[in-house]
Amino acid sequence: MEFDIPFNKPYLAGPEMDYMQEAVNSLKLSGNGKFSQKCHQFFCEQYGFRKCLLTTSCTDALEMAALLLNLGPEDEVILPSFTFVSTANAFVLRGASLRFADSLSENPNISPASIESLIGPKTKAIVVVHYAGMACPMNEILALGKAHRIPVIEDAAQAIDNVYVDQNGPRFLGGLGVLSAFSFHETKNISSGEGGMLAINDQTYEDRAEILWEKGTNRSAFFRGEVDKYGWVDLGSSFLPSELTAAFLYGQLEHLKQIQDHRLKLWQLYHEALAPLEQAGYLKRMQVPEYSGNNAHMYYLLCRSAKERTELAAFLKSKRILAVTHYLSLHASPFFSPKHDGRDLPESDRYTQTLLRLPLYMDLKEEELLKVCAQIDAFFKA
Ligand SMILES: *Cc1c(COP(=O)(O)O)cnc(C)c1O
C-alpha cells in the first residue's frame, strides 16, 4: 500500500553521489580507505570517542563488542527486553546467557533497579540501549558497573549526536560505555543505507578491535609500518564496509547539523501539537528525561491500551498515514521465551503494547505533520 505520509523517507543531503564518484575514481573501493578514515576522524573529533571503526551495520559492531569482551557459555549479559534483536543476538552468538531487565516507567530505557536485581557472579556485561536516542540514566548504571567490575556497553544505534547531562555538564552518548555501537541504517538520523560503527573508549580493547575488524590479522598495524609482516593473530571477521558506503556516509555527516536542527524542529512541532490531547487524557507524549538531550531520532506516543493503539494505527492507515509499533519484548519472543527465567517485565510489555511511532523524516512537510496530528485528534474525539 502506498501512503500519502509514509513512516520514513531516506534523505539525500547533497554530496553523497559526488563522494561515491570520487571513491570510484580513486580505484580504492575496499574498506579503510580515505572516506572511512574521514568518518572515523569525524566521530573522534566531534564526540571525543577514543577510537572509531566503521562496520557494515550496528549489528556487526555489537558482535565485535561481544568478541572483544571474550564472552562465552559461562557468562551472563544483562540487557533490556524492549530492544532490537541485534542487541541480544550478538551475545547469544558467543554462547552467553541473557538476563532481560525491565524498562523504566517513564520511558522504555533499561531500569537501573532492574539491572541491580540481576547482577550475579556470572554477569560479564551490562548492555544499555538509548531508546529513541534518549539517554539512559548513565550515572546510576555506570556506578553499578564500577561497583561490580562489569563493563557497560552502549547500543547507541539511535543515539547519534545526543548527550547525557549531569552536574558536570553534557557528555556524548556512545562515549560513556567501554564500547558503543552506532547504526547508519536507512531508518536512522544519519544513514548509508546499511552501516554502523564501533566506538572504543577504553584502551584495553583498542588494538584488538582493529585485529578483529581485519579478519583476525594485524593488517592495519602492518600498513602503518608497525610490524614487518602481517598474519593471523586472533579471531576476526569481515566487519569493514566498502569505501562506497563510507563515501556516502561522509556526505551525510557533513550535513549532520542541518539534519539534526531540522529533525528537532519537526519533533517540537509534534510535541506542541499533541499537548492538548495529553492534557485531555487521551494519550501520553514521549518525554525527554532531565538528564538527556534530544536528538529527535523518533517521535512516539503511548496509547491507553493495546486495543486503542491498534485502532489508532488502523485509523491513520485509512487516512493513508503510516504510524508503526515497535519492539515485541524479547523475553516473550518465540526464540527466547523457553529460555526466559519467567519473571514478568511489565513495563517492557506495556511499551510493546501501547507505543506508536509517528512519521518523522527530513522531507516531512509541516502541513503533513499537522495533518497527522489532526487525524489523531479526530480519532480520539470521534
Ligand atoms: C537499528 C538498531 C540496531 C541495528 O542496527 P543495524 O545497523 O541495522 O544493524 C540495533 N539496535 C538498535 C537499538 C537499533 O535501533
Side-chain angles (χ1 to χ4, degrees):
M1 173 174 177
E2 283 286 315
F3 291 91
D4 293 343
I5 306 180
F7 174 66
N8 183 53
K9 265 190 207 171
Y11 174 68
L12 281 179
E16 294 92 337
M17 294 307 285
D18 287 344
Y19 288 161
M20 286 175 82
Q21 185 67 54
E22 193 180 324
V24 170
N25 293 347
S26 76
L27 298 177
K28 169 77 180 77
L29 290 179
S30 58
N32 202 14
K34 174 182 146 186
F35 283 105
S36 298
Q37 285 162 17
K38 274 173 169 295
C39 292
H40 294 163
Q41 196 182 354
F42 177 92
F43 281 97
C44 287
E45 283 175 6
Q46 191 93 357
Y47 302 121
F49 305 151
R50 183 179 178 96
K51 185 180 178 76
C52 293
L53 295 172
L54 288 188
T55 54
T56 57
S57 63
C58 178
T59 301
D60 261 358
L62 289 162
E63 287 177 24
M64 283 183 73
L67 280 165
L68 281 167
L69 292 184
N70 275 321
L71 294 178
E74 300 303 313
D75 303 325
E76 286 181 4
V77 176
I78 297 173
L79 72 170
S81 178
F82 192 78
T83 185
F84 190 59
V85 286
S86 295
T87 322
N89 261 330
F91 301 96
V92 175
L93 281 168
R94 313 277 11 112
S97 303
L98 306 181
R99 304 299 309 278
F100 283 114
D102 207 359
S103 298
L104 294 164
S105 60
E106 53 282 16
N107 69 49
N109 285 340
I110 194 166
S111 145
S114 184
I115 295 175
E116 192 167 17
S117 72
L118 294 172
I119 291 177
K122 292 183 169 178
T123 312
K124 293 291 155 53
I126 297 168
V127 188
V128 305
V129 179
H130 304 295
Y131 183 76
M134 298 292 118
C136 292
M138 290 308 290
N139 279 348
E140 285 154 272
I141 294 166
L142 292 170
L144 283 173
K146 199 168 171 198
H148 297 273
R149 295 169 183 265
I150 302 166
V152 174
I153 296 174
E154 297 174 80
D155 179 339
Q158 305 175 11
I160 189 170
D161 200 47
N162 203 11
V163 288
Y164 173 75
V165 190
D166 66 8
Q167 66 280 3
N168 300 317
R171 280 177 288 166
F172 283 107
L173 300 183
L176 299 162
V178 292
L179 299 164
S180 65
F182 286 90
S183 175
F184 309 118
H185 183 263
E186 179 177 297
T187 51
K188 308 300 201 268
N189 292 24
I190 295 290
S191 160
S192 52
E194 302 278 355
M197 187 182 78
L198 181 73
I200 300 115
N201 300 312
D202 184 323
Q203 194 185 0
T204 321
Y205 304 107
E206 200 177 313
D207 294 342
R208 190 160 177 244
E210 204 173 62
I211 289 167
L212 300 184
W213 190 61
E214 282 280 22
K215 296 108 183 158
T217 73
N218 53 357
R219 187 168 179 269
S220 297
F222 173 74
F223 279 114
R224 284 194 301 267
E226 293 165 14
V227 291
D228 59 10
K229 38 179 160 333
Y230 89 80
W232 188 15
V233 295
D234 203 333
L235 290 175
S237 190
S238 183
F239 291 116
L240 294 76
S242 92
E243 275 289 284
L244 289 174
T245 298
F248 190 100
L249 183 68
Y250 191 68
Q252 296 247 313
L253 288 175
E254 278 194 334
H255 288 258
L256 177 100
K257 184 165 165 29
Q258 169 221 337
I259 291 171
Q260 294 299 89
D261 287 352
H262 188 66
R263 292 186 72 100
L264 193 59
K265 208 171 105 195
L266 294 172
W267 191 98
Q268 278 159 346
L269 211 54
Y270 266 131
H271 208 57
E272 282 157 32
L274 294 170
L277 284 173
E278 183 175 74
Q279 272 142 30
Y282 291 116
L283 52 81
K284 283 223 158 57
R285 296 174 301 163
M286 67 178 286
Q287 294 297 335
V288 183
E290 74 281 2
Y291 50 78
S292 179
N294 183 3
N295 72 344
H297 171 60
M298 177 194 300
Y299 198 90
Y300 70 80
L301 49 82
L302 299 170
C303 293
R304 291 175 294 191
S305 69
K307 179 167 172 286
E308 198 165 60
R309 182 190 63 179
T310 305
E311 288 167 1
L312 173 57
F315 178 81
L316 292 173
K317 200 169 179 181
S318 75
K319 305 293 175 191
R320 305 175 64 83
I321 295 166
L322 183 59
V324 295
T325 63
H326 216 179
Y327 308 126
L328 305 174
S329 294
L330 295 180
H331 73 279
S333 62
F335 178 70
F336 198 81
S337 56
K339 300 184 258 294
H340 180 58
D341 55 28
R343 282 170 304 116
D344 281 338
L345 300 175
E347 298 296 347
S348 177
D349 288 342
R350 185 168 58 88
Y351 296 114
T352 293
Q353 289 162 10
T354 64
L355 187 146
L356 191 67
R357 295 179 290 160
L358 304 181
L360 178 58
Y361 47 87
M362 285 296 281
D363 293 331
L364 180 66
K365 296 188 181 58
E366 284 193 18
E367 59 267 27
E368 291 173 326
L369 185 154
L370 294 173
K371 188 178 155 200
V372 173
C373 297
Q375 293 297 358
I376 295 172
D377 190 80
F379 170 80
F380 283 108
K381 306 240 167 109

